[in-house]
Amino acid sequence: MTRVRRRGVWLALPLALVPAVAIPLAAVAMSGSAPSFTRDVAPIIAGKCAGCHQTGGIAPFPLVTAKQISAKSELIGAAVQSRVMPPWPPGDRSPAYVGQADTTLTTRERATLVTWAAKGGKVDGPARRPAPRKGPDIRGGERLLKLRMQAAYRPSAPRGATDDHRCFLLDPKLAGDSSVTSVRIEPGRTKIVHHVILFRVSPGQIAAARQLDSGSAGPGWSCFGGTGLPAGDGSGFVDSLNDATWVAAWAPGFSASRMPDGTGVPLAAGSQIVMQVHYNLLNGNAPDRSRALLTVAPASAGLKPLRTMLLPGPVELACAKGEQAKLCNRNEALFDLARKYGPAAAYAPAGLLVLCRGNASSPVASPVSTCDRRITAPTTIHVAAGHMHLLGAAVRLELNPGTSRARVLLDIPRWDFHWQNAYTLARPVTAQPGDVVRVTCRHEVSKRKTATGAPRAPRYVLWGEGTTDEMCLGILQVTRG
């Protein structure tokens, strides 16, 4: 038995795990000679592991020197054999994505690492030096924007709450119309940052943003559920979901992202950006000063506008059988949302039921949630992502489910909050008016007892902004026309 650490959580892993996966690799490991560390193993570690497993990386320990790698050989064998590492959440039903081969292991690479570990993890020479960390990918005609909170902010939350959503106004000083072509969001304090979203702010909204900022103590302003700014364009709720004002987002596991070739997120001249940072105070409240690096191209580049489409689904999770507590009552749970985040938070669960079921009068608790959205204009789907919190178990995004034209856009059968990302389809998918996109989420209340940071006390769990609440959210980046 050995242990694998996944973002602060140690998992017990036997060296022979799931028979369907482990037996073929174990058979390889027990036959033949051990692979050469320098010739066979070191290149795999340098190319597929050391990007995270290096000093200052997201992983909990470095795998850079031969000594470091050999000392973790048993751990490497168990994690690779069980497919815990390297992390690649999309399952076999998912389509191919850009960059997938750079992240995942081939069958031969997996067998090599398992065999080497099973043979004792010996080294016969030096390790390979990992590729240097890449800076922003600045292409011809683009320029780099460095946006950072003006001052450090120490998060705080109302008594009894553990989350703080704070918005900060950032000025990219855009003299002309531009398109964002890539984004790297760098949280200042990864232990307390739950997510970051960048919203575009039109010139007509800037005065309202400044008023919110000046009216709040300290940097920024409180902003549960969004920026708190008026839409200003008369768009309705569904319109705002079909064309959200997102520029980019970050959550644990996200890496830098480049928009699909030929596309960019439009930013009009004079626009600014709101950086919304969700702080989870279960891990402290140290001062944070997050930043974002953006590359932008001028309007003359002729990039096709890339839009964000949000697909939220209702969350209705009852207490487990036999559990009793005040917050197991749904109404009490709604009052608790309003107490923590304001009255508007208590309306979100009903709004999602109306959006997805057409009726909020008889909510039914279920671990599985779905929501359909009908496409209203010719659309090309380029990027797919899902978002849930700590009770999430699986998420799937589909086009035209249950028909002969059904296409899976993203399927994550084993959700892990600590490994989230957005996936660019290797082959964009076209959709026509009348087509349907569906998000399906599965949650497990039992994860409350095991997931680090999950709410331990029994309660009826609803859609909410806090880490101890839940979400069911599909995210698509699309072009239209």
Side-chain angles (χ1 to χ4, degrees), residues 49-60:
C49 307
C52 293
H53 285 274
Q54 58 180 289
T55 302
I58 193 174

Side-chain angles (χ1 to χ4, degrees), residues 71-160:
K72 300 291 186 182
S73 61
E74 187 180 12
L75 196 62
I76 292 169
V80 167
Q81 188 178 13
S82 65
R83 298 181 183 268
V84 169
M85 291 287 162
W88 183 253
D92 293 339
R93 295 188 59 183
S94 295
Y97 301 109
V98 174
Q100 184 170 346
D102 298 330
T103 303
T104 57
L105 295 176
T106 66
T107 300
R108 180 181 292 276
E109 288 172 333
R110 198 176 295 277
T112 296
L113 294 180
V114 171
T115 303
W116 171 76
K119 297 287 186 179
K122 298 178 181 178
V123 298
D124 55 8
R128 290 279 185 93
R129 184 180 297 275
R133 293 184 184 176
K134 294 182 179 179
D137 179 12
I138 307 174
R139 300 182 181 178
E142 296 178 348
R143 63 190 182 98
L144 179 66
L145 300 179
K146 299 180 180 180
L147 304 179
R148 192 174 191 181
M149 295 157 49
Q150 292 184 354
Y153 170 71
R154 182 182 290 275
S156 62
R159 180 175 296 179

Side-chain angles (χ1 to χ4, degrees), residues 155 162-164 191-195 278-285 390 417 452-453 466-468:
T162 59
D163 297 273
D164 182 10
K191 287 187 177 181
I192 63 173
V193 176
H194 175 287
H195 76 243
H278 173 182
Y279 297 103
N280 172 20
L281 306 188
L282 291 172
N283 292 322
N285 68 335
L390 297 165
F417 174 80
T452 301
T467 306
T468 55

Side-chain angles (χ1 to χ4, degrees), residues 93 374-375 381 397-409 429-438:
R93 295 188 59 183
R374 195 167 296 278
I375 299 292
I381 301 169
L397 295 174
E398 302 169 273
L399 177 67
N400 295 320
T403 73
S404 60
R405 298 174 292 117
R407 297 282 299 273
V408 174
L409 304 172
V429 173
T430 58
Q432 300 300 325
D435 287 350
V436 170
V437 285
R438 174 180 295 173

Side-chain angles (χ1 to χ4, degrees), residues 112-431:
T112 296
L113 294 180
V114 171
T115 303
W116 171 76
K119 297 287 186 179
K122 298 178 181 178
V123 298
D124 55 8
R128 290 279 185 93
R129 184 180 297 275
R133 293 184 184 176
K134 294 182 179 179
D137 179 12
I138 307 174
R139 300 182 181 178
E142 296 178 348
R143 63 190 182 98
L144 179 66
L145 300 179
K146 299 180 180 180
L147 304 179
R148 192 174 191 181
M149 295 157 49
Q150 292 184 354
Y153 170 71
R154 182 182 290 275
S156 62
R159 180 175 296 179
T162 59
D163 297 273
D164 182 10
H165 287 65
R166 198 76 175 178
C167 281
F168 307 91
L169 185 63
L170 310 177
D171 186 1
K173 302 185 185 304
L174 295 172
D177 293 348
S178 304
S179 294
V180 178
T181 53
S182 74
V183 178
R184 180 194 297 273
I185 296 174
E186 298 179 349
R189 299 279 183 175
T190 56
K191 287 187 177 181
I192 63 173
V193 176
H194 175 287
H195 76 243
V196 178
I197 302 175
L198 303 183
F199 297 88
R200 62 178 183 267
V201 179
S202 67
Q205 296 174 303
I206 293 174
R210 288 175 176 165
Q211 185 174 3
L212 287 172
D213 196 355
S214 62
S216 300
W221 65 92
S222 181
C223 56
F224 284 93
T227 63
L229 297 173
D233 58 2
S235 61
F237 176 62
V238 175
D239 292 333
S240 69
L241 296 177
N242 287 337
D243 188 5
T245 59
W246 289 25
V247 176
W250 176 94
F254 266 55
S255 56
S257 62
R258 172 160 280 277
M259 311 309 169
D261 289 345
T263 73
V265 177
L267 282 179
S271 296
Q272 295 193 21
I273 289 175
V274 163
M275 173 188 282
Q276 183 203 54
V277 186
H278 173 182
Y279 297 103
N280 172 20
L281 306 188
L282 291 172
N283 292 322
N285 68 335
D288 170 70
R289 196 177 178 193
S290 296
R291 72 169 188 163
L293 305 178
L294 283 65
T295 57
V296 297
S300 60
L303 300 180
K304 200 162 190 179
L306 189 69
R307 311 290 185 181
T308 298
M309 185 175 181
L310 302 179
L311 304 168
V315 176
E316 300 279 339
L317 300 174
C319 289
K321 186 177 180 180
E323 289 183 335
Q324 293 184 347
K326 179 181 180 180
L327 290 180
C328 286
N329 180 280
R330 186 178 186 276
N331 286 335
E332 292 293 342
L334 283 172
F335 291 142
D336 189 54
L337 285 177
R339 179 186 62 80
K340 291 189 295 185
Y341 313 128
Y347 297 128
L352 290 174
L353 288 172
V354 172
L355 175 70
C356 302
R357 306 283 182 269
N359 190 323
S361 60
S362 301
V364 177
S366 173
V368 177
S369 172
T370 66
C371 192
D372 290 354
R373 181 82 54 75
R374 195 167 296 278
I375 299 292
T376 59
T379 299
T380 301
I381 301 169
H382 297 273
V383 180
H387 178 67
M388 296 185 290
H389 293 178
L390 297 165
L391 302 184
V395 63
R396 181 183 304 151
L397 295 174
E398 302 169 273
L399 177 67
N400 295 320
T403 73
S404 60
R405 298 174 292 117
R407 297 282 299 273
V408 174
L409 304 172
L410 176 66
D411 181 58
I412 298 179
R414 292 189 300 174
W415 173 260
D416 186 337
F417 174 80
H418 302 291
W419 292 109
Q420 303 182 54
N421 216 328
Y423 302 93
T424 300
L425 280 69
R427 294 185 177 181
V429 173
T430 58

